[in-house]
């Protein structure tokens, strides 16, 4: 009895005192934001065709459908090309900022707004990859996904150094502690305040014009105004009483929400695999071991016909891949109980998605799925990955000064320069 | 470590000298000097930890960022009963929301069953529109047919004559664009394919639409076809040629069975022809607007 009480207390402390999986949530934040960013850049030439007011799925057609299903899209708030262009460019900027982790929570909200706006605007051009990003963009809002690998984390670390540094004087009212994430630094957070006001004004304008569906619980107005209010309270408490009880309580609740969202994200990934696997088992083609042959011969999914032919030339190989796919997808959720098996399966699935990216011509779907898989990666591996990335960035930055002389010159001398930097000499 | 830590709980010495030299002997440790380390060689004392501000010390109050932090701490342990109850309430709400959400999504993706039939409306209201999902990826069976969408048009030629173009294969044009591409565009991979799925899902075999969605899908198909006729090189369509009406058809061909299989399927394509659709002014702007802007 006492033991179960203790383990309950420990579990309670675990989900309230910390936002779990800091590296996992950071890697999926970067993963989904990079995927969407690359997608937006790739489709930039086709943006009008896919989401523009005069595209085949025109503005008024989208409006008729949205009036019936009440999906969220800011692109229908106003008509015209300019509003659309602003929205598209803003989506690119917001995605990039979310990758970098600048004002991560705010960017995650704006990221959700942008993703939903574009996808719901033209729901008939999306595929499974869009669907994954759509869901995860919503879930990410509720996570503290900028605890590591973000500009926010760097700023927090710097403000800690400033405060705890041996020579700097501090004002008692604005101290920060490493233990309270998100506490204000020694310096006034001007950018954050400005951002808050800008967004509050935009939201007020949109509310006044009546473009947002209301609804008290579950309504968009409630969500957005609620988020703004919580941010304001969090900020005010951080200034007045950073170690006061209300602020600690908010911090604890933020952890609870984060941990619940992380659980939902993991469960969602499991649902994806479980659904994909269990439905396949019922199909005759997955039973007779030929299923994988068919997508390879659909015109929409065979960018490399010769490669597709090669891969499907052996019946045994197709059978193995067919059965293997089903096996892995069905098994994956259960392997979460065994760390080692889970990691092996994770590697297999990521490899399969990487192959699908090229063979079936589904790069963004695959990238989104790999990002979703990444939530299950072990912390030790993610830290090593972070170390490699930091070293690669360091190496890259150290080369930059050499290339500064001007883009034209650099272009003219690219092969030479590349060789030089490879050898490690400067001319 | 212990030897140094004892100082952290001691009351600060009012007006204690700030400089390192003053600590040299006896090393009085005040609250603000978390740790005092003396280098053996130089005798220089390095103070680390959090330094309190001067005025606080003189008042005998430890600086706010000082050793007081660990004592106050964070997390549920640092909260009074009232706030703990509030946290537990929040925990209950968040946990229920997450649980209900996962349950709803599970029932949404699961096959029709006793529970989902009973609570279909509630599940739908929770899941639609933002949590809609379908993960039957190539399942239960992968598509085993290539469905090509083709278009032809009745046109008025520049000299005032009437003409009908031959069938132009829109899907083949998509396929050609996808071939050899590492990054196929949604305009080539999804737009036409999914528009056709939308059309067939919202029409019966006699091409009668099922309400709003059916009507929208017709217009969508028409506008895609017009855009393609405008932007691609289509025999019979060119400068001065006016498209008056278009007709679409689908051409469905079975994927030939694998070489190593003894299965036999018919490789003769089957067609589904849609009625002719007149082109009204409202349908035109697709490509034309873009071109007018460019010029």
């Amino acid at each position: 009895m006492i033991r179960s009480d203790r383990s309950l207390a420990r579990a309670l402390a675990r989900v309230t005192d910390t936002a779990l999986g800091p590296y996992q949530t950071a890697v999926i934040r970067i993963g989904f934001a990079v995927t969407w960013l690359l997608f937006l850049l790739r489709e930039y030439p086709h943006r009008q065709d896919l989401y523009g007011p005069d595209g085949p799925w025109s503005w008024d057609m989208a409006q008729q459908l949205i009036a019936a299903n009440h999906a969220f899209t800011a692109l229908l708030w106003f008509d015209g090309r300019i509003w659309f262009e602003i929205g598209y460019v803003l989506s690119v900027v917001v995605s990039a900022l979310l990758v970098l982790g600048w004002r991560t929570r705010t960017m995650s909200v704006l990221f959700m707004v942008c993703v939903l706006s574009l996808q719901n605007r033209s729901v008939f051009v999306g595929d499974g990859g869009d669907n994954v990003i759509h869901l995860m963009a919503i879930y990410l809002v509720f996570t503290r996904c900028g605890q590591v690998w973000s500009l926010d984390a760097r700023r927090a670390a710097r403000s800690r150094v400033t405060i705890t540094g041996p020579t700097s004087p501090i004002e008692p009212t604005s101290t920060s502690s490493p233990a309270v994430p998100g506490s204000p630094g020694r310096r006034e957070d001007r950018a954050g305040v400005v951002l808050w006001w800008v967004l509050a004004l935009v939201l007020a304008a949109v509310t006044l014009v009546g473009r947002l569906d209301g609804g008290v619980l579950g309504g968009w107005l409630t969500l957005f105004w609620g988020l703004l209010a919580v941010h304001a309270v969090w900020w005010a408490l951080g200034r007045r009483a950073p170690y006061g009880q209300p602020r600690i309580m908010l911090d604890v609740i933020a952890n609870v929400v984060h941990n619940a969202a992380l659980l939902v994200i993991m469960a969602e990934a499991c649902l994806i695999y479980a659904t994909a696997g269990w439905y396949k088992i019922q199909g005759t083609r997955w039973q007779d071991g030929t299923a994988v042959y068919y997508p390879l011969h659909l015109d929409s999914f065979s960018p490399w016909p010769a490669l597709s032919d090669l891969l499907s030339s052996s019946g045994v190989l197709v059978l193995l891949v067919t059965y293997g796919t089903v096996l892995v997808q069905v098994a994956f959720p259960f392997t979460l109980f065994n760390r080692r098996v889970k990691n092996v399966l994770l590697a297999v699935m990521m490899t399969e998605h990487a192959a699908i990216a090229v063979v079936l011509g589904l790069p963004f779907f695959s990238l989104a799925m790999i990002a979703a898989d990444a939530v299950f990666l072990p912390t030790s591996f993610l830290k090593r990955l972070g170390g490699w990335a930091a070293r690669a960035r360091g190496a890259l930055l150290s080369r930059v000064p050499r290339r500064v002389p001007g883009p034209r010159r650099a272009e003219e001398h690219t092969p030479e320069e590349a060789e030089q930097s490879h050898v490690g000499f400067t001319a | 470590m212990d030897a140094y830590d004892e100082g952290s709980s001691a009351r600060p010495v009012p007006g204690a000298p700030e400089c390192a030299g003053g600590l040299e002997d006896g090393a009085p440790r005040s609250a603000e000097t978390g740790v005092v380390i003396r280098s053996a060689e130089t005798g220089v004392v390095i103070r680390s930890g959090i330094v309190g501000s001067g005025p606080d010390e003189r008042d005998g109050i430890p600086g706010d960022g000082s050793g007081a932090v660990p004592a106050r701490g964070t997390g549920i342990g640092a909260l009074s009963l009232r706030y703990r109850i509030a946290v537990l309430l929040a925990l209950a709400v968040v946990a229920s929301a997450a649980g209900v959400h996962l349950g709803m999504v599970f029932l949404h993706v699961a096959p029709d069953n006793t529970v989902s039939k009973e609570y279909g409306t509630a599940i739908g209201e929770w899941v639609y529109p933002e949590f809609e999902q379908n993960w039957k990826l190539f399942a239960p069976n992968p598509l085993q047919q290539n469905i090509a969408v083709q278009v032809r048009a009745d046109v008025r030629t520049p000299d005032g004559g009437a003409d009908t173009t031959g069938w132009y294969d829109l899907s083949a044009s998509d396929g050609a664009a996808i071939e050899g591409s590492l990054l196929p565009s949604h305009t080539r991979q999804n737009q036409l394919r999914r528009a056709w799925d939308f059309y067939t899902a919202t029409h019966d075999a006699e091409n009668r639409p099922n309400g709003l969605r059916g009507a929208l899908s017709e217009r969508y198909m028409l506008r895609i076809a017009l855009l393609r006729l405008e932007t691609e090189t289509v025999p019979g369509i060119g400068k001065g040629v006016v498209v008056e009406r278009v007709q679409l058809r689908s051409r469905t061909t079975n994927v030939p069975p694998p070489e190593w299989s003894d299965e036999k399927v018919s490789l003769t394509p089957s067609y589904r022809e849609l009625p002719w659709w007149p082109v009204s002014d409202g349908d035109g702007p697709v490509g034309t607007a873009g071109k007018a802007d460019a010029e």
Side-chain angles (χ1 to χ4, degrees):
Chain A
M1 195 59 200
I2 292 169
R3 250 178 83 190
S4 71
D5 274 2
R6 268 207 202 129
S7 60
L8 185 71
R10 219 177 305 134
L12 198 65
R14 224 170 120 71
V15 297
T16 54
D17 289 358
T18 46
L20 299 167
Y23 289 93
Q24 286 77 5
T25 40
V27 79
I28 59 170
R29 175 198 92 221
I30 294 169
F32 292 123
V34 161
T35 307
W36 188 242
L37 175 64
L38 292 178
F39 170 75
L40 291 177
L41 294 177
R42 194 272 168 261
E43 298 293 3
Y44 188 78
H46 308 294
R47 66 191 184 287
Q48 297 286 349
D49 195 351
L50 291 173
Y51 306 109
D54 298 322
W57 188 249
S58 71
W59 193 87
D60 62 296
M61 291 161 76
Q63 186 129 52
Q64 288 180 55
L65 189 74
I66 295 285
N69 71 7
H70 304 288
F72 174 88
T73 172
L75 284 179
L76 293 180
W77 288 352
F78 305 101
D79 198 358
R81 180 116 174 231
I82 293 169
W83 179 248
F84 164 71
E85 295 285 0
I86 291 173
Y88 200 92
V89 171
L90 206 66
S91 298
V92 172
V93 173
V94 163
S95 306
L97 288 176
L98 185 64
V99 173
L100 297 175
W102 185 78
R103 314 283 152 181
T104 313
R105 180 80 71 169
T106 311
M107 286 310 133
S108 71
V109 177
L110 293 179
F111 182 69
M112 175 190 74
V113 167
C114 291
V115 167
L116 265 54
S117 291
L118 283 166
Q119 291 190 358
N120 288 339
R121 164 67 183 77
S122 301
V123 72
F124 297 111
V125 293
D127 54 31
D130 294 86
N131 205 169
V132 174
I133 291 175
H134 185 113
L135 296 168
M136 295 301 183
I138 301 174
Y139 298 149
L140 268 184
V141 169
F142 299 98
T143 64
R144 292 185 139 167
C145 54
Q147 295 179 94
V148 296
W149 297 343
S150 68
L151 293 179
D152 284 351
R154 193 171 73 168
R155 194 172 55 243
R158 276 183 186 164
S159 79
R160 270 199 299 269
V161 169
T162 322
I163 289 161
T164 56
T167 49
S168 77
I170 47 160
E171 302 130 60
T173 47
S174 62
T175 46
S176 181
S177 140
V180 182
S183 307
R186 197 172 56 84
R187 282 166 50 203
E188 186 66 60
D189 175 20
R190 286 213 194 86
V193 174
V194 169
L195 195 59
W196 189 91
W197 276 107
V198 168
L199 293 175
L201 286 175
V202 170
L203 187 56
V206 170
T207 310
L208 278 178
V209 186
R211 289 295 193 276
L212 261 176
D213 276 350
V216 180
L217 279 172
W220 289 107
L221 275 176
T222 321
L223 179 73
F224 291 133
W225 281 115
L227 284 168
L228 267 176
V230 168
H231 268 74
V233 170
W234 176 254
W235 175 82
L237 287 175
R239 274 171 70 93
R240 293 231 184 101
Y243 304 110
Q245 297 269 304
R247 167 95 171 189
I248 297 176
M249 182 189 71
L250 280 189
D251 184 49
V252 169
I253 293 177
N255 287 337
V256 168
V257 172
H258 165 99
N259 293 328
L262 181 57
L263 175 78
V264 168
I265 289 172
M266 290 174 149
E268 179 70 61
C270 288
L271 275 180
I272 293 175
Y273 284 117
T275 315
W278 287 102
Y279 279 107
K280 282 190 179 82
I281 287 184
Q282 304 166 27
T284 49
R285 290 300 180 195
W286 294 96
Q287 290 167 4
D288 71 16
T290 59
V292 167
Y293 166 87
Y294 289 96
L296 290 170
H297 291 84
L298 292 180
D299 296 337
S300 305
F301 302 106
S302 51
W304 315 97
L307 182 64
S308 298
D309 284 341
L310 185 72
L311 287 175
S312 55
S313 58
S314 156
V316 178
L317 185 72
V318 170
L319 169 74
L320 287 176
V321 177
T322 302
Y323 275 22
T325 302
V326 177
L327 195 73
V328 167
Q329 290 186 339
V330 170
F332 180 70
F334 302 102
T335 66
L336 294 181
F337 297 103
N338 182 308
R339 198 180 145 81
R340 198 172 296 173
V341 182
K342 180 260 296 179
N343 287 340
V344 171
L345 241 62
L346 212 50
V348 171
M349 293 193 316
M350 285 184 160
T351 311
E352 180 161 15
H353 279 131
I356 285 174
V358 178
V359 177
L360 295 185
L362 292 166
F364 300 109
F365 164 77
S366 300
L367 210 52
M369 286 311 297
I370 289 174
D373 293 340
V375 78
F376 297 106
L377 285 173
T379 303
S380 56
F381 174 77
L382 287 170
K383 279 185 172 167
R384 223 178 312 150
L385 198 71
W388 292 333
R391 239 168 294 146
R393 193 187 59 176
L396 215 69
L397 286 181
S398 68
R399 276 182 210 171
V400 164
R402 260 179 258 163
R403 301 203 172 188
V404 158
R408 265 186 68 199
R409 260 195 65 195
E411 251 171 51
E412 283 162 19
H413 300 286
T414 303
E416 211 183 308
E417 288 239 347
E419 208 176 295
Q420 279 168 9
S421 57
H422 186 69
V423 181
F425 288 105
T426 12
Chain B
M1 196 61 201
D2 284 343
Y4 298 122
D5 274 356
E6 61 184 332
S8 61
S9 59
R11 271 183 67 90
V13 180
E18 282 278 336
C19 63
L23 293 168
E24 222 170 281
D25 275 315
R29 294 172 203 98
S30 56
E32 79 277 10
T33 55
V35 181
V36 179
I37 300 163
R38 191 195 304 239
S39 159
E41 290 90 359
T42 60
V44 171
V45 175
I46 302 151
R47 295 162 43 163
S48 70
I50 301 158
V51 184
S53 59
D56 278 357
E57 287 165 32
R58 262 165 239 129
D59 294 333
I61 303 159
D64 200 39
S66 68
V69 173
R72 292 185 192 184
T74 55
I76 200 165
L79 290 172
S80 65
L81 184 65
R82 208 166 8 135
Y83 285 100
R84 277 189 201 192
I85 291 172
V87 165
L88 284 181
L89 276 177
L91 182 65
V93 170
V94 171
S96 331
V100 169
H101 178 71
L102 288 177
M104 291 292 190
V105 173
F106 173 81
L107 289 172
H108 170 64
V109 298
D112 275 350
N113 57 58
T114 319
V115 178
S116 63
K117 274 184 229 160
E118 177 84 24
Y119 300 103
T121 326
I123 296 166
E125 274 174 13
W126 184 284
V127 165
Y128 292 102
E130 304 301 350
F131 297 108
E132 182 183 1
Q133 48 200 293
N134 175 10
W135 308 117
K136 295 176 191 171
L137 308 166
F138 300 119
N141 271 322
L143 188 64
Q144 293 151 59
Q145 300 166 326
N146 275 305
I147 302 170
V149 180
Q150 303 176 332
V151 63
R152 64 175 174 177
D154 270 355
V155 297
R156 200 172 61 241
T157 52
D159 53 28
D163 195 10
T164 303
T165 68
W167 287 104
Y168 176 72
D169 196 326
L170 300 172
S171 301
S173 143
D174 282 351
I178 288 170
E179 198 169 321
S181 170
L182 278 174
L183 301 169
S185 166
H186 273 24
T187 52
R188 292 303 195 172
Q189 207 168 32
N190 294 348
Q191 195 172 53
L192 182 67
R193 181 174 62 88
R194 290 213 51 210
W196 182 255
D197 288 347
F198 182 36
Y199 179 89
T200 51
T202 52
H203 286 75
D204 63 12
E206 271 80 54
N207 296 313
R208 281 180 304 227
N210 72 349
L212 172 71
R213 290 167 71 90
L216 284 174
S217 82
E218 282 181 18
R219 222 170 135 223
Y220 188 35
M221 281 305 304
L222 173 64
R223 287 172 64 90
I224 291 176
L226 287 174
L227 176 66
R228 297 291 172 88
L229 290 178
E230 287 259 355
T231 51
E232 294 176 18
T233 317
V234 182
I237 307 259
K239 212 175 174 187
V241 176
V242 179
V243 176
E244 294 193 312
R245 51 178 207 153
V246 298
Q247 187 183 30
L248 291 164
R249 72 172 181 184
S250 70
R251 174 182 184 275
T252 304
T253 327
N254 287 320
V255 171
E259 291 166 19
W260 28 266
S261 157
D262 51 11
E263 229 175 294
K264 297 266 181 297
V265 296
S266 158
L267 296 180
T268 324
S270 67
Y271 293 90
R272 172 175 176 177
E273 252 178 45
L274 307 194
W276 282 93
W277 288 331
V279 178
S280 67
D281 286 344
D283 302 317
V286 191
T288 355
K291 272 191 184 171
D293 280 3
E295 280 160 13

